[in-house]
Amino acid sequence: MYRSWDQDNNYIYGAAIGLTPLIIIQSCKLLKCPITAPETVYQTQRSMGKMFDKYNLTWILPVDFRFYYMLRLHFCNIIPQYTKRSQVVFKIFVNNKTAVEEANLFYGSRGSGYPVFKDYIVFVNDPYGKRSIQIFLLAVHPNRNSELYLDAYLNGLEVFKLSVDKTC
Ligand SMILES: *[C@@H]1O[C@H](CO)[C@@H](O)[C@H](O)[C@H]1NC(C)=O
Ligand SMILES: *[C@@H]1O[C@H](CO)[C@@H](O)[C@H](O)[C@H]1NC(C)=O
């Protein structure tokens, strides 16, 4: 697929922007898995930092109403301390609703430094009939059940607008 990738600075909601570590991880880890995003996407990450308790790390996207969108969330932990399963467990919210209560990503991948993605399909409603641009929110927040670290992170986000065949 032909896609372009932007930095997320323009899509961060609010003043709490978290941390953006950049770590060149061993590319061998990536090569063992099918790569669905460029390496740079996996080598950069936005995480919550020390103020994790006070906010949701939130991205805001303009979308068109009455369309389905597929969100593909790319994760690849690059924070060296996070090495084991269940050490970092976090919540994922899509449009203020809980999409995942306990994202424990090392279960979906081979561990820290290995890429994994999650897909969600959402319908963007036009609840007030205004036919205006709708705003879409994606947020992450630590889950208290995390065994060692309270944090949450995201490496990349893809948004696919799905066409609606109105004749069906
Ligand atoms: C995070 O977002 C969820 C869903 O919108 C909300 O219930 C919760 O209060 C938010 N937490 C913080 C700390 O803002
Ligand atoms: C969703 O959350 C955002 C950010 O916390 C808030 O500004 C907005 O009012 C919420 N929207 C709804 C429909 O709850």
Side-chain angles (χ1 to χ4, degrees):
M1 266 183 271
Y2 296 98
R3 300 167 294 181
S4 62
W5 298 80
D6 286 331
Q7 296 210 352
D8 69 346
N9 307 42
N10 293 333
Y11 303 99
I12 283 287
Y13 175 89
I17 60 170
L19 306 172
T20 52
L22 164 66
I23 299 178
I24 306 303
I25 49 176
Q26 297 153 4
S27 53
C28 62
K29 285 191 177 180
L30 291 174
L31 293 175
K32 283 184 196 158
C33 300
I35 305 184
T36 52
E39 271 189 54
T40 326
V41 171
Y42 296 119
Q43 288 165 349
T44 56
Q45 187 174 71
R46 194 177 290 274
S47 60
M48 299 206 68
K50 290 198 177 110
M51 303 292 283
F52 61 82
D53 235 4
K54 307 265 184 284
Y55 73 107
N56 288 333
L57 187 54
T58 306
W59 292 264
I60 186 164
L61 300 155
V63 287
D64 293 327
F65 67 94
R66 289 187 197 153
F67 275 90
Y68 283 93
Y69 283 84
M70 187 179 98
L71 305 182
R72 176 163 289 178
L73 281 58
H74 293 274
F75 302 95
C76 179
N77 178 57
I78 56 171
I79 297 174
Q81 301 94 292
Y82 304 167
T83 53
K84 297 202 180 76
R85 288 176 175 184
S86 306
Q87 281 182 339
V88 187
V89 177
F90 56 90
K91 302 179 189 181
I92 301 172
F93 301 104
V94 175
N95 269 351
N96 294 4
K97 295 201 181 80
T98 306
V100 182
E101 186 64 36
E102 300 194 2
N104 192 342
L105 297 168
F106 297 172
Y107 277 106
S109 75
R110 295 175 57 177
S112 185
Y114 288 93
V116 61
F117 66 82
K118 306 252 179 221
D119 287 342
Y120 301 97
I121 299 215
V122 289
F123 183 69
V124 177
N125 213 338
D126 184 24
Y128 308 111
K130 284 188 179 161
R131 296 180 169 243
S132 57
I133 294 284
Q134 298 295 306
I135 298 299
F136 193 84
L137 294 170
L138 174 79
V140 294
H141 189 82
N143 185 306
R144 286 276 157 197
N145 295 338
S146 219
E147 282 176 9
L148 201 51
Y149 299 105
L150 291 172
D151 201 351
Y153 59 82
L154 179 69
N155 297 70
L157 171 65
E158 287 182 271
V159 182
F160 302 91
K161 184 178 181 180
L162 306 179
S163 67
V164 181
D165 186 345
K166 296 209 162 121
T167 62
C168 290

